[in-house]
C-alpha cells in the first residue's frame, strides 16, 4: 500500500496489520482471482479499470441529500452525480429538465424508490408484478405495506398480459401500479410497455403508474437495434438500473430515474443538513457516482454498443454450441442470458452459475473469455454424457 498521496497527519495515524493478518488478505486476493474465472452465472461485467479514481479513496466524501439541491456538507461529488443522471436521461428517453434521479446502492433501492413514489401518488393503489419478478420486490411490498397481486408469466419469463388485464378488470376502482421487468433475472424477458398500456387503455383506468425494473437490460437495450418499448418514451414513470451489472463496478450501485413531477410530491427540506430529503439512504456513496461517470465517459455510447455486441456474439456462440450437443439452450430477443436445463450437481461445484427450479443460465459478459466458454461447453458435454 503506498502512502505517497496521504498527508503527514494521515501517515502518523495510519494503523497497519501484522504479518498474520496481512497474509489473510493475500489469501483472499488469491481466492477471488481464481473464482472470477468460473463466475459466469451472474450479470456482472468483470472487465473494468478504475485505477485513476483510487486517489479519491483518501477523502471522507459523502453524497448525502438531493444531488440537485445542494447541501451544507460540501465534501461530495454531487456535480458528477448530476452528470450521471443526465446521461441516463438521454439513454432512457426523457428530457433532462423533466427527470430527476440519484445514484443508489443498487437495483433494489431503485425499485423501492419507484414503488414508494407510486404509493405516495396512489395510496390505495394495487401493485401488479409477474411471477418472474426479482425476489427483492415482494420484500419491498411487505415493507411498504402495499396491496399487490402476482401475475402469471409465460415460460419465456414475459408477463401474461391477459392475466394482467383480467386482474386489473376486477379491481378497476383502484389505481393500478404496474411493475414491469425489463430483463427478468433468470431469462432476460421484457414486459412490453406498449402491451401494458393497451391493457390500461382498454380498461379505461384514469390513474395508473408504471415502474420499470431494468437492473441489467437498462444498459443493453439503449445499444441494440429495434429494442422493444421499455423506457420513459414508452410511458414509464420511474426506472431502476443497476450500475455494477452491465457497466461493472467493484462497489454495488445503480440509478433511480423518475419523472420530476412525481418526486416533487414527496420532497421535504431538512435544516440540519441543508438539503432536500428526497433519497432513501441518508449518507450516500460519493465514489460510485464517480465510477459510473468514469465508465460512461471512458466507454462512450460507441464503447457500450461494442460491449453489448460482443456479449451478444458470445451468447449466440454458447447457445449454438449447447444446441449442437443436444442441450436445449435458448435466449430471449436482445438478451445475453443463455438459458438451459439445470445441469448435474457436479457442474455446480466447479462453475458459479445461477439455477432456478429446473432451469439454469449463464451470462457471457465481456470479462468471460472464449476459452472459459469453451471449457464450460466441454464440461457440459461430459456431464450430460455421463448422466445418460
Ligand atoms: C439484480 C436485479 C435486481 C436487484 O438489483 P441489486 O443491484 O442486486 O439490488 C432487481 N431486479 C432485477 C431484474 C435484477 O436482475
Amino acid at each position: 500500500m503506498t502512502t505517497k498521496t496521504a498527508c503527514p497527519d494521515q501517515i502518523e495515524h495510519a494503523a497497519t496489520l501484522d504479518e498474520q493478518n496481512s497474509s489473510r488478505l493475500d489469501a483472499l486476493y488469491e481466492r477471488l482471482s481464481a473464482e472470477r474465472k468460473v463466475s459466469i452465472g451472474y450479470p456482472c461485467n468483470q472487465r473494468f479499470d478504475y485505477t485513476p479514481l483510487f486517489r479519491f479513496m483518501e477523502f471522507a466524501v459523502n453524497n448525502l441529500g438531493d444531488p440537485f439541491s445542494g447541501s451544507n456538507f460540501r465534501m461530495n461529488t454531487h456535480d458528477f452525480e448530476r452528470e450521471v443522471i443526465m446521461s441516463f436521461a438521454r439513454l432512457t428517453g426523457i428530457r433532462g429538465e423533466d427527470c430527476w434521479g440519484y445514484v443508489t446502492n443498487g437495483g433494489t433501492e431503485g425499485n423501492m424508490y419507484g414503488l414508494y413514489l407510486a404509493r405516495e401518488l396512489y395510496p390505495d393503489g394495487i401493485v401488479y408484478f409477474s411471477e418472474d419478478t426479482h425476489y427483492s420486490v415482494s420484500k419491498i411490498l411487505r415493507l411498504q405495506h402495499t396491496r399487490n397481486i402476482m401475475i402469471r408469466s409465460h415460460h419465456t419469463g414475459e408477463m401474461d398480459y391477459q392475466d394482467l388485464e383480467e386482474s386489473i378488470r376486477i379491481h378497476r376502482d383502484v389505481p393500478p401500479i404496474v411493475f414491469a421487468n425489463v430483463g427478468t433475472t433468470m431469462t432476460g424477458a421484457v414486459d412490453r410497455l406498449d402491451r401494458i398500456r393497451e391493457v390500461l387503455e382498454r380498461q379505461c383506468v384514469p390513474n395508473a403508474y408504471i415502474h420499470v425494473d431494468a437492473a441489467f437490460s437498462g444498459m443493453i437495450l439503449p445499444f441494440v437495434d429495434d429494442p422493444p418499448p421499455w423506457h420513459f418514451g414508452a410511458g414509464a414513470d420511474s426506472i431502476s438500473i443497476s450500475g455494477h451489472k452491465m457497466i461493472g463496478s467493484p462497489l454495488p450501485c445503480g440509478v433511480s430515474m423518475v419523472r420530476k413531477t412525481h418526486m416533487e410530491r414527496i420532497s421535504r427540506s431538512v435544516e440540519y443538513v441543508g438539503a432536500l430529503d428526497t433519497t432513501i439512504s441518508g449518507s450516500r456513496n460519493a465514489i460510485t457516482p464517480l465510477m459510473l461517470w468514469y465508465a460512461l465517459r471512458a466507454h462512450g455510447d460507441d464503447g457500450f454498443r461494442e460491449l453489448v455486441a460482443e456479449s451478444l456474439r458470445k451468447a449466440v456462440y454458447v447457445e449454438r454450441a449447447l444446441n449442437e450437443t443436444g442441450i436445449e439452450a435458448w435466449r430471449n430477443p436482445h438478451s445475453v442470458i443463455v438459458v438451459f436445463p439445470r445441469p448435474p450437481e457436479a457442474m455446480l461445484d466447479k462453475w458459479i452459475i445461477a439455477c432456478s427450479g429446473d432451469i439454469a443460465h449463464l451470462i457471457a459478459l465481456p470479462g468471460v473469455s472464449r476459452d472459459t466458454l469453451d471449457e464450460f461447453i466441454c464440461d457440459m458435454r461430459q456431464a450430460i454424457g455421463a448422466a445418460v
Side-chain angles (χ1 to χ4, degrees):
M1 188 62 205
T2 168
T3 47
K4 256 198 325 269
T5 57
C7 67
D9 186 50
Q10 281 174 319
I11 296 168
E12 200 173 309
H13 293 96
T16 52
L17 286 182
D18 60 26
E19 211 169 296
Q20 195 188 359
N21 284 307
S22 291
S23 60
R24 290 278 315 280
L25 292 184
D26 293 340
L28 173 65
Y29 193 88
E30 294 293 313
R31 179 172 72 77
L32 295 176
S33 301
E35 303 272 36
R36 84 170 142 199
K37 298 199 187 90
V38 291
S39 182
I40 56 173
Y42 292 87
C44 300
N45 181 357
Q46 301 186 62
R47 194 203 282 162
F48 49 75
D49 177 11
Y50 294 113
T51 41
L53 300 179
F54 285 6
R55 61 188 161 139
F56 293 99
M57 298 287 279
E58 80 178 71
F59 300 112
V61 281
N62 190 320
N63 272 18
L64 90 169
D66 186 325
F68 288 87
S69 80
S71 118
N72 291 341
F73 186 78
R74 294 205 303 269
M75 292 284 282
N76 64 34
T77 60
H78 278 170
D79 44 347
F80 286 80
E81 185 173 7
R82 287 194 296 273
E83 284 188 37
V84 168
I85 298 305
M86 287 302 129
S87 294
F88 275 99
R90 194 171 49 74
L91 297 174
T92 55
I94 189 168
R95 292 192 311 176
E97 59 263 43
D98 296 336
C99 100
W100 180 85
Y102 71 99
V103 174
T104 60
N105 294 313
T108 301
E109 186 181 346
N111 285 336
M112 181 184 272
Y113 200 81
L115 290 171
Y116 166 49
L117 280 189
R119 207 272 316 272
E120 293 300 291
L121 285 171
Y122 304 120
D124 56 351
I126 296 180
V127 174
Y128 299 89
F129 65 104
S130 88
E131 56 185 322
D132 275 54
T133 299
H134 191 261
Y135 65 86
S136 63
V137 174
S138 52
K139 169 179 62 191
I140 295 168
L141 293 171
R142 230 175 308 136
L143 205 65
Q144 293 190 174
H145 237 278
T146 321
R147 277 182 79 190
N148 59 84
I149 293 175
M150 190 188 273
I151 303 299
R152 272 195 291 275
S153 40
H154 299 287
H155 83 280
T156 58
E158 186 173 352
M159 178 182 277
D160 180 337
Y161 307 105
Q162 232 174 336
D163 193 32
L164 175 70
E165 180 150 11
E166 189 59 21
S167 306
I168 291 179
R169 195 181 60 75
I170 297 170
H171 304 281
R172 276 184 53 192
D173 54 324
V174 286
I177 298 165
V178 183
F179 186 97
N181 293 305
V182 169
T184 56
T185 307
M186 268 318 280
T187 66
V190 175
D191 298 336
R192 296 179 61 108
L193 264 51
D194 53 346
R195 301 290 304 272
I196 291 169
R197 285 175 64 193
E198 278 165 27
V199 167
L200 297 173
E201 277 160 30
R202 266 200 302 274
Q203 293 303 318
C204 293
V205 286
N207 296 316
Y209 188 103
I210 302 177
H211 173 78
V212 169
D213 178 2
F216 181 43
S217 296
M219 271 308 278
I220 295 177
L221 294 183
F223 307 107
V224 300
D225 296 331
D226 295 324
W230 69 279
H231 59 29
F232 289 108
D237 290 291
S238 50
I239 302 178
S240 170
I241 303 175
S242 290
H244 55 279
K245 290 191 171 173
M246 192 63 203
I247 297 175
S249 152
L251 306 175
C253 58
V255 289
S256 171
M257 304 289 297
V258 308
R259 286 189 189 277
K260 199 170 170 182
T261 48
H262 295 337
M263 180 280 291
E264 285 161 355
R265 295 279 295 268
I266 62 132
S267 71
R268 235 164 40 86
S269 174
V270 183
E271 190 188 358
Y272 165 65
V273 287
L276 280 179
D277 191 20
T278 43
T279 57
I280 288 183
S281 298
S283 285
R284 293 190 302 113
N285 200 318
I287 301 295
T288 47
L290 272 191
M291 289 181 165
L292 292 180
W293 180 89
Y294 184 88
L296 289 167
R297 291 292 182 279
H299 289 291
D301 283 4
D302 288 343
F304 279 112
R305 201 165 289 118
E306 183 44 39
L307 276 179
V308 167
E310 182 190 338
S311 301
L312 280 167
R313 280 195 297 271
K314 282 183 186 164
V316 169
Y317 173 76
V318 174
E319 182 190 11
R320 277 203 196 125
L322 289 178
N323 276 317
E324 278 162 17
T325 312
I327 298 165
E328 280 177 43
W330 57 277
R331 287 181 313 115
N332 270 304
H334 306 299
S335 173
V336 302
I337 300 176
V338 184
V339 188
F340 45 85
R342 188 189 184 102
E345 278 314 302
M347 284 291 288
L348 307 180
D349 291 340
K350 171 169 174 184
W351 297 94
I352 304 178
I353 50 178
C355 296
S356 171
D358 52 5
I359 60 169
H361 74 205
L362 75 77
I363 308 185
L365 279 170
V368 181
S369 71
R370 279 280 171 134
D371 288 348
T372 300
L373 294 176
D374 284 336
E375 190 179 333
F376 174 81
I377 293 161
C378 182
D379 285 358
M380 275 296 270
R381 234 173 239 156
Q382 279 175 0
I384 300 294
V388 290

